[in-house]
Structure formats: structure tokens, C-alpha cells
Amino acid sequence: MLRVENLNQYYSGSHILRGLSFEVEPGKVTSLLGRNGVGKTTLMKCLMGLVKSRSGSIAFNGKDITHAPSHERVRAGIGYVPQGREIFPRLTVEENLLMGLATKPGGTKIPDLVFELFPVLRSMLNRRGGDLSGGQQQQLAIGRALAMDPKLLILDEPTEGIQPSIIKDIGHAIRTVARRNATAETSRSIEERQEVQNAIRRVADTGQVAILLVEQYYDFARDLADHYLLMERGEFIMRGLGADMDKDGVREALAV
Ligand SMILES: Nc1ncnc2c1ncn2[C@@H]1O[C@H](COP(=O)(O)OP(=O)(O)O)[C@@H](O)[C@H]1O
Ligand SMILES: [Mg+2]
């Protein structure tokens, strides 16, 4: 779904991202861990085209997007929830969600999934975004990204500064989104056998959501991760399966 090769980025002469290569697979959560200042957000900005990469390549769904403008990446199906949420404080919850929907060609209705995952948003549709609590704003930011029905969802530190109970809701939502389309496509292919071939092709093409989760909160990242990456000063110093994170000593490496 997303393939990054040998990505390099500098800020005024200092080498921030150092030859990064990795992939994010559909239907899977890839957790990217690393302490403050190691380059996680810079990497997300490169993926979104908000910062120009110096060298290397970024491919999405087999298409080279290394030099594509941000709006094309969004249109191609990359949803981005930036660090610090950045909702529109003066717009209502509903208007914020519609802003997300506006980036989807032909989109007219906020998907039910958004309200299934975050019921609080439905009950607050007419409130202004800025009047919501921090955790609710984070749910709104994720809901807005989901409204465009992304194929790849990038979340930069969604747990930053929010309460544990809401962190749990957000974790559940991330997991559900990653699995959901895969399950729907599989059951359809079983019910309608003559369309099995079609369904498989659709799954292989764009039928699933891939999630790239940037996180410093170890337990949250581990509980969700199918794969993990650990970044230190612009490089990946460890990577592997989410299930191996404890055994690999990722918690200790993060705490050093
Ligand atoms: N716009 C910028 N100009 C110059 N340096 C920056 C800029 N943004 C971030 N940095 C520096 O780049 C490094 C990586 O920052 P960042 O990607 O935000 O790290 P993280 O998200 O892992 O905390 C830090 O040393 C930070 O000070
Ligand atoms: Mg950051």
C-alpha cells in the first residue's frame, strides 16, 4: 500500500531523516515509535508532501507520489491526522466532518462508521469544535480523516494529552478500521462465489485500510501493532512484528 525507499530529509544542513525504507500493508497497523525530536513528524510531513523530501521515493498503491502535491495524496486516499489534532475550532462538529468528506470525490454523506466508532460526535454535531474536550477533538480529527474513506490512515500521536478512557476508545477505533474492509470483502467473496475473483482483485487493489500510527505511548502502540518500527535520530534502529515488541525489548529501547 505504502512503500518508502531510502528517504532523506534535512533541515538547514542537519540530516533529519536518514535513508528510511519501510512498507505499510493494507489491513495492518504499523506502529512507529520514537522519542521526542527523532524525526517522526517530519517523516509524516514528507509522506503528506508538506515537506519536500531531499531524496528517496514514496509509492502509494504502486504509484510514485514522491513529488505529488498534498491535495493529490489526499485525493488518492491518504488520510492524515496531524500531531496536535488541528480541527477547525470555529466550525461545528458536523462542518468539520463535512470538510473531511469534501476531499472525497463524489462523497455526499458522512459514513456511518464515523458515528459507530465515536458516538459522542453524533450527539455533539452542532457544537463548535473548539468547545469539545481534548479527547473529543482527537476523535473529531480522526472522524474527519475517516469521512474521506481513506486507504491509508496516518495518525501522529493520537494519545498526546488525552485521558486514558478516551485513549481506549481511540485504540478500538483504529483496530476496527484496519480490519473492517478486509472482513467485508472476505465475507462477500464467500457469499457470491462467482465474484470471488473480482473480490480478490479488489482486496488486492484498494479494498483495505492501512494504518501508520506514530506513538510514544508504548502500551497503546504495542496493543495495536501488527508491525513496529523504532526510530532513533532519523534512523530505524529496530523493526519487527507487533507481537514480538516485548520480547525484542522495544519498551526498554524507547525508555533509554
Ligand atoms: N520546521 C523545522 N525547521 C527546522 N528544524 C525542525 C523543523 N521541524 C522540526 N525540526 C527539528 O527536526 C527534528 C525532528 O523533529 P520532529 O520530526 O518534529 O520529531 P518528532 O516528531 O519525532 O518529535 C527535531 O530536532 C526538531 O527540532
Ligand atoms: Mg512529532
Side-chain angles (χ1 to χ4, degrees), residues 90-107:
R90 305 180 71 91
L91 299 185
T92 65
V93 166
E94 184 171 27
E95 287 163 345
N96 268 278
L97 293 172
L98 289 171
M99 292 297 281
L101 192 62
T103 62
K104 186 190 173 194

Side-chain angles (χ1 to χ4, degrees), residues 25 34 38 50 55 57 59 62 64 67 69-71 75 103 107 135 138 147 158 162-163 175 178 209 221 227 234 244:
E25 296 171 32
V38 299
L50 299 168
S55 65
S57 68
D64 184 12
H67 305 291
S70 299
H71 64 88
R75 196 152 279 237
T103 62
Q138 186 59 266
I162 63 179
Q163 287 176 20
R175 173 53 66 198
V209 180
H227 299 279
D244 293 337

